[in-house]
Amino acid sequence: MTATVVLATRNAKKLEELRRVLAAEGIEVLGLADVTPHPEPEETEHTFAGNALLKARACVEATGLPTLADDSGLTVAALGGMPGVRSARWAGPGSSDEENLALVLRQLADVPTERRTASFVCALALALPDGRSEVIHGEVTGRLTMWARGENGFGYDPIFLPDGHDRTTAEMSAEEKDAISHRGRAIRAMVPILTELLTATERDGER
Amino acid sequence: MTATVVLATRNAKKLEELRRVLAAEGIEVLGLADVTPHPEPEETEHTFAGNALLKARACVEATGLPTLADDSGLTVAALGGMPGVRSARWAGPGSSDEENLALVLRQLADVPTERRTASFVCALALALPDGRSEVIHGEVTGRLTMWARGENGFGYDPIFLPDGHDRTTAEMSAEEKDAISHRGRAIRAMVPILTELLTATERDGER
């Protein structure tokens, strides 16, 4: 059996990351660009889970297909938990990864290593055409470096040093990062739920 | 009787604001520049009250004089309560009022009026040579404008529209602002405590 799920994102790197994990489960992953219409609601919620559900439900409503949506970001203790839900536009709407990361480094320039604690958090929502939904959280704790290091990954990866590691997530291979990342953790926790629900849905469809 | 209290700040505008209110009570206010040594501890706490107490206690310890210290800032709902304790250095250590304010406007460029709620919060700490201390909070609720307006005040005044007003705090006179401001409220709430404690201290000294 091949089950299909939409990942409600245009972010090619997120799509690739999810496809890599779900391919092994025989689950095909479509991106927003593969479905019509392409619903993209504004992320108006104050929590990762709220935004993830918002996006997943809008896509189910538009396409009729089971949908995964994630909202994730960096929470920095010295910034009161922000950039949080505003991680992708921390320096303002339309800002680049480099601008957002440079702003965080500038804002924390006077904050010493022991107070640079931060986490990557991912809320992954699954919404089904019948109205059911699930949200799973993944988190990886660590601290921020003083300068960007590494060329891999995206977002704040070049300044995030996961606890127990001496390389930033941008200095790790995709496989190494998946194994410890907030999104990797959320996806792995979601796989059995996804498999169970998609299989049950297909069985229902066959009756 | 003339009682003396140190305001542990180098900010001339804060000093002037406090002098204006306390002159009527016969309380003389010295600034950090008027006392030796000039203690200026790093603001390492995560709360306004924590930082205010830290500064007040350091100054009492160094000078032996009753000391007031405030920590205040802007809390923005859409920024998870930040800039908060980092209001004066939001764009990074050494940043100007203009840079901090411009950054907040840029970060909120996609946030509509109804979600631009914000408060000015002031924690005012009084510490006495005998070890006693008090902390008072003052708050003024409002929302942020889309553009800076007005030339008075300082900090984020040009973008802060207090609830029930149609001018920013930078478009108000000093007297109008004192009447509603977070710092004005905290200072007025502190005056009876200050008068009581300083008078009691002087009586003790005369015995």
Side-chain angles (χ1 to χ4, degrees):
Chain A
M1 143 222 137
T2 303
T4 299
V5 64
V6 180
L7 178 66
T9 187
R10 287 190 178 285
N11 185 318
K13 293 201 173 180
K14 282 188 187 179
L15 197 59
E16 186 193 321
E17 203 172 12
L18 188 68
R19 276 194 175 130
R20 211 158 48 223
V21 176
L22 291 185
E25 309 295 324
I27 296 173
E28 180 194 26
V29 182
L30 303 179
L32 264 192
D34 306 319
V35 297
T36 315
H38 317 296
E40 287 182 274
E42 213 194 331
E43 299 181 16
T44 53
E45 300 292 313
H46 286 296
T47 61
F48 295 121
N51 281 327
L53 263 178
L54 199 76
K55 289 187 279 186
R57 284 189 174 136
C59 182
V60 171
E61 216 162 287
T63 65
L65 291 170
T67 302
L68 284 170
D70 89 308
D71 195 40
S72 49
L74 183 71
T75 73
V76 178
L79 295 176
M82 299 303 283
V85 294
R86 301 191 69 81
S87 291
R89 47 189 162 162
W90 185 233
S95 50
S96 67
D97 281 2
E98 289 69 27
E99 288 166 336
N100 293 327
L101 176 158
L103 175 56
V104 168
L105 284 184
R106 224 165 39 243
Q107 290 181 300
L108 299 189
D110 60 341
V111 177
T113 303
E114 66 274 17
R115 289 196 285 114
R116 295 175 79 87
T117 53
S119 289
F120 271 130
V121 176
C122 172
L124 184 64
L126 170 66
L128 299 181
D130 64 11
R132 283 179 297 173
S133 63
E134 293 275 351
V135 182
I136 296 280
H137 281 88
E139 180 172 1
V140 52
T141 60
R143 58 190 65 239
L144 300 184
T145 57
M146 301 297 286
W147 298 279
R149 282 164 29 189
E151 304 294 328
N152 305 329
F154 57 100
Y156 298 93
D157 280 331
I159 58 171
F160 186 76
L161 205 60
D163 286 337
H165 294 262
D166 55 8
R167 286 171 305 152
T168 67
T169 38
E171 293 175 304
M172 298 180 172
S173 69
E175 291 68 29
E176 283 177 290
K177 186 186 156 192
D178 287 352
I180 60 156
S181 85
H182 55 311
R183 195 171 293 110
R185 282 173 190 186
I187 291 172
R188 282 191 299 279
M190 183 61 91
V191 168
I193 297 170
L194 190 60
T195 312
E196 164 67 24
L197 289 179
L198 291 190
T199 312
T201 305
E202 292 210 335
R203 271 201 311 270
D204 292 349
E206 283 162 13
R207 268 189 301 211
Chain B
M1 143 223 140
T2 304
T4 299
V5 64
V6 180
L7 178 66
T9 186
R10 287 188 178 284
N11 185 318
K13 294 200 173 180
K14 281 188 186 178
L15 199 58
E16 186 193 319
E17 204 172 10
L18 188 67
R19 275 195 177 129
R20 211 157 51 222
V21 176
L22 292 185
E25 309 294 326
I27 296 173
E28 180 195 24
V29 183
L30 303 179
L32 264 192
D34 306 320
V35 298
T36 314
H38 317 298
E40 288 182 274
E42 212 194 333
E43 298 181 16
T44 53
E45 299 292 313
H46 286 297
T47 63
F48 295 121
N51 281 327
L53 263 177
L54 199 76
K55 288 188 277 185
R57 285 189 172 135
C59 181
V60 171
E61 216 162 290
T63 65
L65 290 170
T67 301
L68 284 170
D70 90 307
D71 194 40
S72 48
L74 182 71
T75 72
V76 178
L79 293 177
M82 299 304 282
V85 295
R86 300 191 70 80
S87 290
R89 48 189 161 160
W90 186 233
S95 50
S96 68
D97 282 2
E98 289 69 26
E99 288 166 336
N100 293 327
L101 177 158
L103 174 56
V104 168
L105 284 185
R106 225 166 38 244
Q107 290 182 300
L108 299 188
D110 60 341
V111 177
T113 303
E114 68 273 17
R115 290 196 284 114
R116 296 176 79 86
T117 53
S119 290
F120 271 131
V121 176
C122 172
L124 185 63
L126 171 65
L128 298 181
D130 64 11
R132 282 179 296 172
S133 63
E134 293 274 350
V135 182
I136 297 280
H137 281 89
E139 180 171 1
V140 52
T141 60
R143 59 189 67 238
L144 299 184
T145 57
M146 300 296 286
W147 298 277
R149 283 163 29 190
E151 303 293 329
N152 305 328
F154 58 100
Y156 298 91
D157 280 332
I159 59 171
F160 186 76
L161 205 61
D163 285 338
H165 294 262
D166 55 9
R167 286 171 305 151
T168 67
T169 39
E171 293 176 304
M172 298 179 171
S173 69
E175 291 68 28
E176 284 176 289
K177 185 187 157 190
D178 287 353
I180 61 156
S181 84
H182 56 310
R183 195 172 293 110
R185 283 172 189 185
I187 290 171
R188 283 192 299 280
M190 183 61 92
V191 167
I193 297 170
L194 190 60
T195 313
E196 165 68 23
L197 289 178
L198 290 190
T199 311
T201 306
E202 291 212 334
R203 272 202 310 272
D204 292 348
E206 282 161 13
R207 267 190 301 209

